[in-house]
Amino acid sequence: MTSQPVLLVIAHGSRDPRHAATVHALVRRVRARRPGLRVETGFLDFNIPSVRGVLESLAAEGVRDVVALPLLLTRAFHAKADIPAVLREAPACLRIRQAEVLGPSPLLTSALDRRLYEAGLTPADKSSTGVVLASAGSTDPEAIAVIAEIAREWRHTGWCAVRPAFASASLPRTEDAVRELRALGCERVAVAPYVLAPGFLPDRIARGAAEADVLADVLGPAPEVVRVLLERYDEARVPVLSALGA
């Protein structure tokens, strides 16, 4: 029986130590949910181990099959350029398949709801609460369009209104979306960071939420994030195993 491919979770990395700590907490929960699956973590920048270092270590151990999973919520520059470039430089003995990014997914929308409820809201508050869907931002039009579509779809689940906002590269900013929802007459305004881990841009989102009534936590190691991460792994590993005759 062919062993399952190693899962390599690829995180961006940050000078903020909370970022790596959150990534490692998420990976621990992935391991707990899928005992027997080998899960490694590599960072593109700032933190160790690097993606390249992990791939070289796996090759030296005799590993041959890897699913590289970008720990990203949208398919922007890192998923389209940075990560493929690093993977192309991997040892030739490795068979690597890049999984899709985590978002969009109904599971992530459920994780956003979870964080808002943990911050003090209840399902009964939805019809009177406007929500700012605050993401890091991107210069990639595809990524921006995805965030806008998530906001539209999320609004249909019962929230008074949902507006996208961005911490960088795009507009509006979080504080502007908060004021817009207030002007619409929403009884309360909540900010839901659509980011995976703390860091510079999430801190900017938090500052922009100063006039909001509720600020949710980052998605982090939410159970729904763990589930969608493993879904992406399973989707990517099937062609790998089929090619090996498994």
Side-chain angles (χ1 to χ4, degrees):
M1 179 178 178
T2 305
S3 61
Q4 54 191 338
V6 170
L7 168 56
L8 171 58
V9 175
I10 300 179
H12 182 274
S14 172
R15 292 185 178 90
D16 189 322
R18 296 173 299 166
H19 174 88
T22 302
V23 170
H24 291 311
L26 173 59
V27 169
R28 284 194 297 271
R29 291 196 175 184
V30 171
R31 292 187 180 119
R33 187 174 179 89
R34 187 73 63 88
L37 172 62
R38 181 172 178 180
V39 187
E40 299 291 343
T41 307
F43 295 91
L44 289 174
D45 206 354
F46 302 117
N47 302 104
I48 55 173
S50 67
V51 175
R52 182 173 303 164
V54 174
L55 291 172
E56 290 174 352
S57 294
L58 290 173
E61 290 179 33
V63 170
R64 291 298 173 260
D65 295 292
V66 177
V67 169
L69 194 151
L71 198 59
L72 300 169
L73 295 173
T74 58
R75 199 171 167 275
F77 182 79
H78 293 305
K80 294 177 179 178
D82 282 355
I83 292 175
V86 172
L87 297 181
R88 282 194 297 270
E89 296 174 356
C93 60
L94 291 176
R95 291 181 288 257
I96 303 173
R97 188 172 185 87
Q98 182 176 329
E100 290 296 328
V101 296
L102 301 182
S105 168
L107 285 169
L108 295 177
T109 307
S110 296
L112 290 167
D113 283 331
R114 172 190 291 275
R115 293 304 189 221
L116 285 169
Y117 297 152
E118 290 171 349
L121 295 177
T122 70
D125 296 322
K126 293 183 80 167
S127 62
S128 57
T129 302
V131 181
V132 177
L133 178 67
S135 75
S138 173
T139 57
D140 189 305
E142 178 186 349
I144 298 304
V146 166
I147 298 299
E149 180 61 23
I150 293 170
R152 283 191 292 269
E153 292 295 323
W154 198 20
R155 161 69 180 82
H156 295 155
T157 67
W159 294 104
C160 175
V162 179
R163 294 290 186 272
F166 307 94
S168 68
S170 307
L171 296 174
R173 294 287 182 258
T174 302
E175 53 268 34
D176 297 325
V178 169
R179 292 175 189 133
E180 180 186 351
L181 289 171
R182 195 77 76 189
L184 281 175
C186 296
E187 185 175 315
R188 68 185 64 79
V189 176
V191 173
Y194 189 60
V195 293
L196 286 165
F200 176 74
L201 293 178
D203 283 349
R204 181 179 289 177
I205 290 172
R207 290 193 298 272
E211 296 179 20
D213 302 295
V214 174
L215 171 62
D217 199 358
V218 298
L219 295 175
E224 296 85 357
V225 178
V226 173
R227 287 176 58 195
V228 73
L229 194 155
L230 286 169
E231 281 186 2
R232 296 291 183 257
Y233 168 77
D234 289 335
E235 291 162 0
R237 81 186 182 102
V238 170
V240 173
L241 295 179
S242 297
L244 295 173

